[in-house]
Amino acid sequence: MDSQTITAAAAGTWKLGDLPVHRLGFGAMRLTGSAAFHHGTPSDRERSIAVLRRAIDLGVNHIDTAAFYFSSLRSANELINSALAPYPDDLVIVTKVGPYRAYDGEWATSARPEDLRGHVEENLRQLGRDHLDVVNLRRMPRYDSIAEHFGALAELREAGLIRHLGISNVTPRHLAEAQAIAPVVCVQNRYALDRPDPATDELLRVCGKEGIAFVPFYAVAGEAGEQGATTDHDEDVRAVARAHGASTAQIRIAWTLHQGPHVLAIPGTGNPDHLTENVAAGAIRLSDEELKRLDSRRQEAG
């Protein structure tokens, strides 16, 4: 497989509301350093900008970001703005609100409903835009219901600051709660080949039935989470990778995309070579036998 010639279009397309995107997108979390947030060391700014521009060259038109994606020296939103503005007409930037990090990088009190306008406006300022394409409400554990928070975002949508709404870190109950208030175009939950989760499996199924995009995060990182891509791969993943002449990370991305036509992938990296490989994973077609092999290992892990 010649990764250099494969673009994000190979993964197919889906719509976030009325906004068509390639199913292989880009997550901005890893742009700011060797690990997410205040972990690791800050990235080289010019390299991160080059990664973003290369992503656009490779056909990526869906970028996932947040104002709280920053290291001690780098801000994902600032990098996106500097690298890509004026933005391509087909580029969809998805951000999220709810959690909050103080200037020192430590997590602070999560947003109350009345705080969300400030969170949205901060993303607008950093990205240099007058509206946000999609905003995900990241459910915070301290709140069992998302109705008040999602209602506040729905009001900002009516005011024209937001085009479409999504939710993150939720259950099917929260999805139903949000849909009773305003349309939901995407759901972001943690989901990975080596992380069995029956509740999220059900959420993925419900999203498919209702035509809502399901967007896993940490699909490549697995149990490593915000520290970066996992190196813990079982022999089944390695064997499928060898059969395709691919990396184990590429197989994890391919498996993610095979979970349904409504499933999008947003692998993130600050490495130009890894970016090219990630995008190329959208062209990998796993056989029924390979999927069965990978799924059986996942079930055993559960």
Side-chain angles (χ1 to χ4, degrees), residues 266-277:
I266 49 169
T269 183
N271 183 313
D273 293 332
H274 290 169
L275 168 69
T276 302
E277 290 183 2

Side-chain angles (χ1 to χ4, degrees), residues 49-270:
I49 286 175
V51 166
L52 283 162
R53 290 174 176 166
R54 177 60 176 158
I56 299 301
D57 290 342
L58 289 171
V60 171
N61 60 3
H62 168 207
I63 295 177
D64 178 82
T65 187
F68 54 84
Y69 286 177
F70 64 86
S71 67
S72 58
L73 297 179
R74 304 283 173 257
S75 155
N77 282 353
E78 185 276 326
L79 290 166
I80 292 167
N81 189 347
S82 296
L84 303 180
Y87 299 108
D89 291 340
D90 67 339
L91 178 63
V92 176
I93 299 178
V94 179
T95 189
K96 63 187 69 63
V97 296
Y100 174 72
R101 292 174 66 212
Y103 291 119
D104 63 1
E106 294 303 313
W107 292 102
T109 303
S110 300
R112 298 181 301 274
E114 61 269 26
D115 298 329
L116 290 177
R117 185 183 185 102
H119 285 218
V120 167
E121 290 177 346
E122 181 63 17
N123 278 281
L124 288 169
R125 283 191 292 271
Q126 292 177 4
L127 291 167
R129 307 195 72 172
D130 57 11
H131 78 279
L132 298 172
D133 296 323
V134 183
V135 173
N136 285 310
L137 172 65
R138 168 80 174 186
R139 185 181 71 87
M140 296 144 285
R142 64 182 292 198
Y143 297 106
D144 180 56
S145 169
I146 65 170
E148 286 190 64
H149 288 79
F150 194 77
L153 290 181
E155 291 178 4
L156 296 177
R157 175 175 172 265
E158 291 297 319
L161 296 183
I162 301 170
R163 188 162 181 171
H164 296 297
L165 297 173
I167 51 179
S168 176
N169 194 35
V170 295
T171 68
R173 173 174 62 85
H174 296 114
L175 174 58
E177 193 175 35
Q179 286 178 300
I181 298 170
V184 175
V185 303
C186 58
V187 172
Q188 281 193 1
N189 265 35
R190 188 167 186 170
Y191 191 77
L193 173 59
D194 57 357
R195 189 180 173 85
D197 183 347
T200 302
D201 285 340
E202 172 62 13
L203 187 58
L204 184 151
R205 186 194 67 78
V206 171
C207 286
K209 180 180 177 181
E210 302 191 16
I212 298 169
F214 183 82
V215 190
F217 59 86
Y218 294 155
V220 176
E223 290 303 315
E226 60 195 40
Q227 297 296 335
T230 184
T231 57
D232 184 18
H233 303 288
D234 62 43
E235 181 51 33
D236 288 307
V237 177
R238 296 180 189 278
V240 174
R242 288 193 296 269
H244 286 268
S247 69
T248 50
Q250 286 177 309
I251 295 304
R252 293 171 70 93
I253 295 169
W255 178 87
T256 301
L257 291 170
H258 276 71
Q259 301 312 299
H262 65 299
V263 178
L264 312 183
I266 49 169
T269 183

